[in-house]
Every structure is written in structure tokens, then in C-alpha cells.
Amino acid sequence: MDLRVTDLAVARGGVPVLEGLNFALQGGRALVLRGPNGSGKTTLLRTVAGLQPPLSGSLTGAGERIAYAAHADGLKAMQTVRENLGFWARVFGGRDIAPALAAFDLGALQERPAGTLSAGQKRRLGLARLMVTGRPVWVLDEPTVSLDAASVALFADAVRAHLAAGGAALMATHIDLGLDEAEIFDVTNCRARPRAALQDEAFL
């Protein structure tokens, strides 16, 4: 089943930020959300990931099919890299962590406690978790924050492998990921119009 967004409207703090959102994401495709800070990209991703309800419209093909990664890496500082990945692999069905370690160049760090890693290494570990979930739709908010150029290339390769296996990726980023095959969706074209009721209330 495709991930399909139909006439979706989303809000941040009760204030509508985007409306009239329409797109579909099939397996093998990547879609990159663009727009300035505060334009609603994160709000849209959180809605797609099921972390908040939409204001209106419909969203199909999401739910348990989605693996979500945002700014927090969600790591257990006292556990090693291997233990962190092993924990998430067990949560999602006991997958082998070796491919994830290799994809993000974490093999030499696997016995290091996560709390001792650099910001970039923590980010690579956080992204490696995607590979052990087995979930087909990756929803990613600024996934390459803290990554150097070599690590961005590793991430791009991991996304390509995921797409080649029939997966899909929905990402918000300001950084060129080197994924020429990714389509662009500019959310500024779907900014919510001011509501008359909200404008009137400002003068009460």
C-alpha cells in the first residue's frame, strides 16, 4: 500500500500551518520536503508518523509501516553501540544488526558506550536504527544534522539501498543529500490561510 496524503491540514500549537496537502509516496521513491524554518515541515512529518492528529483530510498507508527519526537520537547513553542497536532490533523482531553497523561505519565503535560518542557518531547510530526496524517507510526530520560529508554519503547510500529494496522515504532537509532521484515537495505552496475567526479574536 502506498503512503497517500489527501487534502491534509495540520496545526502546530492549535494554529493551522499547512492545508490542502496532497501527495502519494510509492515504494522505491523518496520525497524531500522543502520550505523555510517554521513553515510546517516538522509538523507534517509528526502527523504522518502518527504523533499528532491532522486537523482534516486523510492519511493512508502509514501506521505500523513507518519508522520515524527526528532530532533526538533516542540512545541509551550507558549501553554500547551494539547494545543500543540490539535493543531496537529485538523490539522490531530480532533483525541482524551487522548490516546496520556496516552501512553507517559503526563496526569499530560497537563496544563504545553511546554516551561517549561524538555528535556525528550518535547521529549515525540513531540513523542505523532505521535499518533494524524492517519498516518500509522512513520518515526523517533533518536526518543529516551533525554529519560530515562522508557520513552524509553513507546516509545517502543507505537510503538508496532502502529504495532499491522497495522501501520509501519522506524527508525534511535543507541539505543536499546527493539523492538526485528524490522528488521535491515545497510546503510553502500549502501554507494555511489566516482564519477570519482567529483574526477577529485578536481584537476582543
Side-chain angles (χ1 to χ4, degrees), residues 24-118:
L25 186 60
Q26 294 87 24
R29 288 182 55 203
L31 184 64
V32 174
L33 303 179
R34 298 287 194 194
N37 292 336
S39 59
K41 300 186 301 298
T42 294
T43 302
L44 173 56
L45 292 181
R46 287 177 54 82
T47 303
V48 171
L51 299 178
Q52 65 180 64
L55 279 179
S56 61
S58 66
L59 173 64
T60 58
E64 296 300 313
R65 302 175 69 245
I66 284 179
Y68 176 67
H71 301 284
D73 293 314
L75 306 177
K76 297 180 181 297
M78 299 305 294
Q79 291 189 353
T80 66
V81 167
R82 176 179 51 79
E83 289 168 338
N84 268 278
L85 274 183
F87 169 79
W88 286 104
R90 290 190 298 274
V91 167
F92 289 98
R95 292 175 175 273
D96 182 10
I97 67 171
L101 288 169
F104 286 92
D105 195 22
L106 294 167
L109 301 172
Q110 62 182 305
E111 300 305 327
R112 287 265 302 273
T116 68
L117 301 177
S118 70

Side-chain angles (χ1 to χ4, degrees), residues 172-192:
T173 180
H174 294 287
I175 299 172
D176 181 8
L177 301 176
L179 290 167
D180 295 336
E181 58 270 50
E183 299 177 41
I184 305 297
F185 186 91
D186 189 345
V187 302
T188 58
N189 297 324
C190 297
R191 282 182 169 167

Side-chain angles (χ1 to χ4, degrees), residues 98-165:
L101 288 169
F104 286 92
D105 195 22
L106 294 167
L109 301 172
Q110 62 182 305
E111 300 305 327
R112 287 265 302 273
T116 68
L117 301 177
S118 70
Q121 291 167 340
K122 288 178 181 176
R123 175 57 80 176
R124 277 159 44 206
L125 176 54
L127 292 170
R129 289 187 307 158
L130 297 166
M131 297 183 61
V132 303
T133 66
R135 294 193 166 184
V137 182
W138 291 358
V139 175
L140 312 176
D141 193 1
E142 299 290 353
T144 56
V145 169
S146 301
L147 294 186
D148 58 22
S151 297
V152 170
L154 291 176
F155 169 74
D157 287 342
V159 172
R160 287 194 188 93
H162 180 63
L163 300 181

